[in-house]
Amino acid sequence: IVHRLIEPIVAVFLGSDLPGDPHSHTGAPMRAFLNHEVPEWMTSRYRVSARAEERAILAISRGAKDALDAAVDPDGAYGRLGLLVPGRRIRPADLDAIPSGGDRQMRVAILAGHYDAANIATARAARQVLEQAGHAVDFIEVPEGHTQTTWKNHLGKVLVSLFGPGQ
């Protein structure tokens, strides 16, 4: 934003894992929350677009599964998806469930750590499946691991990929 590579944005940060919380924050309840409640709340409080193609959902590591699940849902509220060092919680069955073709084509940015031995295969598989489904994917692989520093160092690249000129 400071370098005028993207316009100012409004961001909401959500945590899905609450210590000691016995309630499920995944699957259909999380998908409904992310695709309906969050966008309605945002548009009621901020001057943000109600158009899915102008909104993005980004998630880090474990949360990437929920973001992916919400974004590829036929009723998805997001036209842009950022997966930051996505974790193994994304299973092959999740990737196999991604619909191919269709009218909803997303802009996707995936940040992967080259030295993230436990998760790099997941990031690469997500890239392949999303590209095959017809989505525009930027794959940013950096010589780092699965750390908060990795996503902090490269979040700007992901945002420019999703919201920069021509996007």
Side-chain angles (χ1 to χ4, degrees):
I1 296 169
V2 170
H3 298 287
R4 298 194 166 123
L5 297 173
I6 64 171
E7 295 292 321
I9 60 173
V10 174
V12 174
F13 295 87
L14 305 169
S16 61
D17 292 330
L18 303 173
D21 188 349
H23 303 291
S24 173
H25 297 286
T26 62
M30 180 59 86
R31 193 170 36 256
F33 175 71
L34 293 172
N35 279 330
H36 301 291
E37 293 179 44
V38 171
E40 289 170 12
W41 180 85
M42 287 186 67
T43 56
S44 72
R45 285 166 178 74
Y46 302 100
R47 295 182 63 196
V48 298
S49 177
R51 297 177 48 196
E53 59 270 13
E54 295 179 3
R55 290 194 298 233
I57 184 167
L58 284 76
I60 302 160
S61 186
R62 182 171 162 72
K65 180 186 184 323
D66 297 316
L68 176 66
D69 188 37
V72 300
D73 185 77
D75 295 325
Y78 308 94
R80 303 166 197 220
L81 169 65
L83 303 175
L84 303 154
V85 292
R88 294 179 310 261
R89 192 166 159 243
I90 297 174
R91 304 278 185 219
D94 299 317
L95 297 175
D96 291 342
I98 294 174
S100 293
D103 296 335
R104 269 187 86 240
Q105 299 305 306
M106 290 187 296
R107 178 92 200 119
V108 180
I110 301 172
L111 171 64
H114 182 75
Y115 300 116
D116 182 6
N119 299 295
I120 190 70
T122 299
R124 290 174 179 159
R127 172 193 191 178
Q128 181 179 10
V129 169
L130 288 161
E131 284 177 340
Q132 289 173 346
H135 302 290
V137 180
D138 279 344
F139 190 76
I140 305 163
E141 187 170 325
V142 296
E144 296 178 31
H146 192 89
T147 69
Q148 290 181 348
T149 303
T150 299
W151 73 262
K152 286 178 186 177
N153 286 345
H154 304 285
L155 177 60
K157 294 174 190 171
V158 171
L159 292 174
V160 170
S161 173
L162 295 175
F163 292 103
Q167 309 307 331

